[in-house]
Amino acid sequence: MPLMTPRGRVEVPPTFHGRPRVVGAKRLSRYTDASTSVEVQEEMITSAANRIGGEIVGWAEDVDTSALKTTPWERDELSYWLGRPDEWDVMIWQRMDRAVRNMGDMVDLARYAKQNNGKRLIFASGPGGAQLELDFSSPMSELIMLILAFAAQLEGQTIMERNQGAAAHLQSLGRWPGGVVPYGWKVGRKTFADGKEGYWLYLHTDEDPKQSTADIRRQMVARVISGAPVGRGFSDVLRWLEGMDAITPKNHRALQADPPRELDPESRWRVTVVREMLLSPVMRGYLTKRDGTIVRDETGAPIMQAEAMLDNDTWHELNDALRLLENGLAGRPRSDGHELLGVLVCSICERNLVYNWGYGKKKVNGKVVRTDEREEKYRCNGTEHPPGVPGLAIRKPETLEWVSEQFLAHLGPFRRTQIVRTPGVDHRSEIADLEADVEELSTRLGALRGPAADAVMKQLQGRSDRLEKLRQQPVIPARESVVQLDRTWADDWNATDDWAVRGDMMRSVGVRLEALPAVGWRPDISERLRFLVGTHVDAEEDALEDARHQAEL
């Protein structure tokens, strides 16, 4: 028997002991489709393969895949086998609707079978429950095939309309309507204000930090907010996710299935996925459409479907950070981004040092040759240096080691502080939301007519009334007090080896590292760096200010 991979893919020889080589094709529209579970489909396909004396050489398993919205060639696993017709003879589904729900797709599948040496397409359960094998040898057989495909298409359209109606009803009641579980949540039952039960999305946490998706998503937000001023954005978050081996959205959905599905070892994070997750208003608990727009009630207020992951202030901080990344930084990622960006500067031109790497060099028989040893450096690319002063460059490993020693020596013994805020009354974030709602609804209203325009007009009026009311209320500022924590800077510094986190710690207390020109051959790193903490005063300006003060006495 051929060796099977976890995804059912295998290189199959041209002949297989004279028995038909079978590929079993399984499909589910969503994981809650319990009536045709993957296990049931596999059992029926295996029985059909045994009845024809075939040997299963692979499986095409496509879950969370709609046959109404995808052709057979748009499904990852099925398209894999359709692209390798020399490796199989028969393809078996449980029923026709597991293969297609569209007459056009059935025609394409039949044409494919004819053009590839008469591939056999079998359905384990056809009309009346009997096994059905499509025979393309006569026009009458093809007509029967199209009638069956039309029935599957009609059934699929009816199911879709029924599901859409049920989802709209659940949305109007503030329930979770079903579908893909967003990253960071899990499905649970809840008793609502009307006394009835329904499904709701609760924040998902886990003892394993790699699978605690609510915590992971919040940390993604925190990294963008803290990193935007120095140019660390989506790519930095992606590297962090990959570094901690965080569970991917696809595998999160697999674990939320009932019963849970096997994880896909090939699933990977992508920058586009990170960006979409950080832009999505789902994090506020809002129900959204496929295009990301918010679903609203008749007054224009967003409909909730889940526990909110972020409060209003954090959501607006995140959006400010995203605008800074996409606009304030010229719409492109920082090419000089590194862990000490904003901390390590040139003492001559005060420019940020950039990260640079290359291969080392050594002398061999009087000639300088390149070695295979990789050298990482921080370098100044400034052009304002005086004549005779070359651009600065210091080695990264020695720099980080020295910085760690200096930070612990200067700040390590001190206890960290935390700002405790007493909330005031401030509706500015809600006002900003309402202003955005009014702008969105106004834009939509201009393209609508009739009942649709009346419904949007009602929503717009409700939002406008609420906005006018909040604008009349005064702002009472919050109060802040500083309390000491029971942790020192050394405790938190030694608790992590992530230099991105350590860099944030240094920036929070105003650490500044000044790189000095090299004097002599390979000077000690302590002679090349200056460690400063707190407010940094220009020496010349400080002297002038002192002279002016003395003159006034």
Side-chain angles (χ1 to χ4, degrees), residues 16-30:
F16 193 71
H17 308 302
R19 302 173 63 186
R21 299 167 298 172
V22 177
V23 171
K26 299 174 286 185
R27 183 192 62 79
L28 285 178
S29 296
R30 60 177 64 177

Side-chain angles (χ1 to χ4, degrees), residues 49-294:
N50 292 334
R51 284 195 294 270
I52 66 170
E55 185 76 21
I56 295 179
V57 298
W59 292 93
E61 182 176 317
D62 294 293
V63 294
D64 290 332
T65 304
S66 169
L68 277 173
K69 299 175 182 176
T70 62
T71 69
W73 285 266
E74 292 173 334
R75 302 169 204 163
D76 291 341
E77 293 296 313
L78 185 56
S79 64
Y80 173 88
W81 288 105
L82 292 175
R84 290 161 173 76
D86 295 335
E87 297 181 11
W88 57 276
D89 307 303
V90 184
M91 186 168 289
I92 303 179
W93 290 266
Q94 180 204 19
R95 297 195 312 266
M96 181 177 286
D97 60 2
R98 297 298 97 189
V100 297
R101 282 194 182 275
N102 182 287
M103 294 176 62
D105 290 345
M106 189 70 254
V107 171
D108 292 338
L109 204 56
R111 184 183 300 114
Y112 168 88
K114 286 183 182 180
Q115 293 174 348
N116 287 278
N117 301 320
K119 295 296 180 185
R120 297 171 64 184
L121 307 180
I122 295 177
F123 305 101
S125 178
Q131 180 171 304
L132 170 67
E133 179 173 351
L134 295 183
D135 179 9
F136 306 112
S137 60
S138 70
M140 184 59 67
S141 298
E142 294 191 14
L143 176 60
I144 294 174
M145 172 198 70
L146 290 177
I147 292 173
L148 293 174
F150 173 74
Q153 178 177 336
L154 187 61
E155 179 189 19
Q157 190 68 32
T158 302
I159 291 173
M160 184 175 67
E161 292 174 357
R162 185 172 67 241
N163 289 341
Q164 289 175 345
H169 177 66
L170 291 174
Q171 291 173 9
S172 67
L173 298 176
R175 274 70 160 167
W176 180 62
V180 176
V181 180
Y183 193 87
W185 285 269
K186 61 183 178 181
V187 182
R189 299 287 290 180
K190 175 182 176 180
T191 301
F192 293 87
D194 57 8
K196 297 180 180 179
E197 284 194 355
Y199 286 104
W200 184 253
L201 294 178
Y202 293 92
L203 293 178
H204 172 257
T205 57
D206 193 278
E207 294 181 358
D208 184 354
K210 298 178 182 178
Q211 296 188 5
S212 188
T213 54
D215 295 328
I216 292 172
R217 195 157 181 171
R218 282 192 177 119
Q219 291 180 64
M220 291 168 62
V221 171
R223 283 183 166 271
V224 169
I225 292 174
S226 63
V230 292
R232 296 204 322 269
F234 304 127
S235 297
D236 176 77
V237 173
L238 175 66
R239 288 191 295 269
W240 173 74
L241 290 167
E242 293 174 335
M244 74 168 293
D245 195 24
I247 186 171
T248 63
K250 180 178 181 180
N251 284 335
H252 168 69
R253 294 196 299 272
L255 290 182
Q256 295 302 305
D258 184 20
R261 300 194 301 268
E262 291 185 5
L263 302 185
D264 180 2
E266 298 180 10
S267 178
R268 296 289 183 270
W269 284 95
R270 298 287 184 268
V271 171
T272 53
V273 174
V274 172
R275 185 177 186 277
E276 289 172 1
M277 288 175 60
L278 290 168
L279 289 171
S280 175
V282 167
M283 288 192 287
R284 307 184 74 181
Y286 294 166
L287 178 63
T288 61
K289 300 177 184 177
R290 289 184 178 272
D291 60 3
T293 57
I294 300 170

